Amino acid sequence: MQRKTPSCVVFNHGYEESDALRKLSTLAILLAATAFLAGARLPPQGPMPEPRPDAGQATSPTSPSSEKAEPPAPEEVPTPQPKPDLKDPQAPVSSQPPAPQAAPSKPGPTEPMQGPPRPPGSPESSPTEEGKPPGEQTLEEQRLTIEPESDAEHAECTAALRSLGVVFKEAPRIDDGNGCGIDKPIIVSEALPGIRLKPEATIRCRAALALARWMKDSVIPAASAALPEQGRITTVNQATSYMCRLRNGAGTGKISEHARGNAIDIASFHFEKGEDVAVRSRREDSTLTGAFQRTVSAAGCLYFTTVLDPESDAAHETHFHLDVIERKGGYRYCH
């Protein structure tokens, strides 16, 4: 008996052919896609970014020249514009922007402080009296007056002089004009008992009292300690007492305390024995004489408000300048 071939074999064969065709179709599709992708290229120029709405001067999108317009210039910092004049609201507004205004110039250092303008010829805008600053005025231009003295204070001062043994006499009021003078002058012939003041000094009582106390409490003890072999001091030689002039004899400037009777210049001390001790530069003098002069110079500021010695300046190389000028706060100047 012959066997028949089963029908399922034919079906298998047909199925294999269909599967092969499907594979071929898929491969063809892949090859076509690869070829398409290989031929694809990026455009030669990418899309340009659109300018910002507020950059430069915008052109109308319908304008034919808008595509050829140059890129807008870099944005500048806007200049502040003045406020519109509100007085005339009907005035047409100009299409042109107003020109920038120049910045106001800053006032120079010499301009006056803010405030109402001074009237012409006011004292603030006028030169000083006589057309000169006070430091450049002569004695006549300064128009000074003599300092008055209290009767009670003068009597108290002269009583103190007598108790110390100072030899003096009262003198009439001195008025040489321009502020030179002494209201109640005295003439001193002996600074202390047995110590002559040569020549006699015309000064105010306050200056004479300071001189006597300085001599008694400082000069005589210093001389006894430093120069005992020369004996006691017998004479004080003074160079200037009252004199109507400006400081240091200048033609302009402040009035000298000599012109008010407040000052006296001491040039030397005369002893019983030996030579006179002259006042001169002794900063580097290592002798007892140098020590004596430096000691009495330093002690002078205990009694006088001004002490200038040979080390202070060239105008005082040969004497002590001693005065009793009154300063604020009890300030004293000693050099």
Side-chain angles (χ1 to χ4, degrees):
M1 251 179 87
Q2 277 186 326
R3 287 184 172 179
K4 293 183 180 182
T5 304
S7 61
C8 63
V9 173
V10 176
F11 178 80
N12 251 355
H13 181 72
Y15 176 79
E16 289 177 358
E17 288 182 355
S18 300
D19 186 59
L21 290 174
R22 188 166 51 252
K23 290 181 179 180
L24 287 174
S25 300
T26 303
L27 180 62
I29 293 171
L30 291 175
L31 290 176
T34 303
F36 177 77
L37 293 175
R41 294 182 181 178
L42 294 174
Q45 183 175 1
M48 296 297 292
E50 293 295 331
R52 293 185 307 171
D54 58 345
Q57 295 179 352
T59 57
S60 171
T62 59
S63 173
S65 61
S66 61
E67 295 180 357
K68 298 181 181 180
E70 295 181 359
E75 186 176 5
E76 296 181 355
V77 178
T79 303
Q81 302 297 332
K83 295 181 179 180
D85 189 2
L86 301 179
K87 294 182 179 179
D88 188 6
Q90 303 299 328
V93 180
S94 175
S95 60
Q96 296 293 335
Q101 295 182 351
S105 58
K106 296 183 178 179
T110 57
E111 293 188 8
M113 298 292 290
Q114 294 182 357
R118 300 188 183 105
S122 62
E124 292 82 356
S125 60
S126 301
T128 57
E129 188 176 3
E130 305 293 341
K132 302 176 185 177
E136 297 179 5
Q137 292 180 357
T138 64
L139 186 60
E140 292 77 10
E141 292 169 341
Q142 295 183 45
R143 301 180 182 178
L144 303 172
T145 58
I146 298 173
E147 181 181 356
E149 297 184 64
S150 164
D151 291 338
E153 292 179 358
H154 181 72
E156 182 180 354
C157 180
T158 54
L161 287 181
R162 293 187 182 95
S163 66
L164 291 171
V166 178
V167 179
F168 68 96
K169 63 182 179 181
E170 303 273 359
R173 185 177 190 270
I174 300 173
D175 186 354
D176 291 331
N178 302 313
C180 290
I182 307 174
D183 190 23
K184 293 177 171 56
I186 62 171
I187 301 174
V188 180
S189 55
E190 289 189 16
L192 284 175
I195 301 178
R196 290 191 303 158
L197 191 57
K198 185 178 179 181
E200 295 178 337
T202 302
I203 51 179
R204 288 181 63 194
C205 182
R206 284 188 57 218
L209 185 58
L211 177 65
R213 289 173 173 169
W214 175 59
M215 290 290 302
K216 180 180 182 293
D217 298 337
S218 298
V219 178
I220 292 175
S224 299
L227 307 169
E229 70 281 358
Q230 293 195 199
R232 68 182 186 88
I233 297 175
T234 60
T235 305
V236 177
N237 297 300
Q238 61 97 4
T240 311
S241 54
Y242 170 77
M243 179 180 289
C244 182
R245 62 175 174 82
L246 298 179
R247 292 182 181 179
N248 299 329
T252 58
K254 292 185 177 180
I255 190 171
S256 170
E257 291 306 301
H258 288 285
R260 297 182 179 275
N262 287 328
I264 187 167
D265 294 343
I266 304 300
S268 65
F269 302 94
H270 180 74
F271 291 78
E272 287 180 310
K273 308 171 187 177
E275 298 179 354
D276 291 359
V277 175
V279 177
R280 59 181 177 82
S281 179
R282 296 185 186 273
R283 177 178 294 170
E284 306 300 330
D285 187 347
S286 58
T287 67
L288 286 171
T289 302
F292 164 74
Q293 178 177 302
R294 291 192 297 272
T295 298
V296 300
S297 175
C301 213
L302 300 174
Y303 310 94
F304 297 91
T305 56
T306 305
V307 177
L308 301 175
D309 64 15
E311 315 302 340
S312 61
D313 56 27
H316 301 89
E317 289 180 337
T318 59
H319 62 273
F320 294 137
H321 169 89
L322 311 170
D323 72 46
V324 291
I325 184 176
E326 292 185 7
R327 296 188 178 93
K328 294 181 180 179
Y331 173 76
R332 299 188 175 207
Y333 182 83
C334 306
H335 191 289

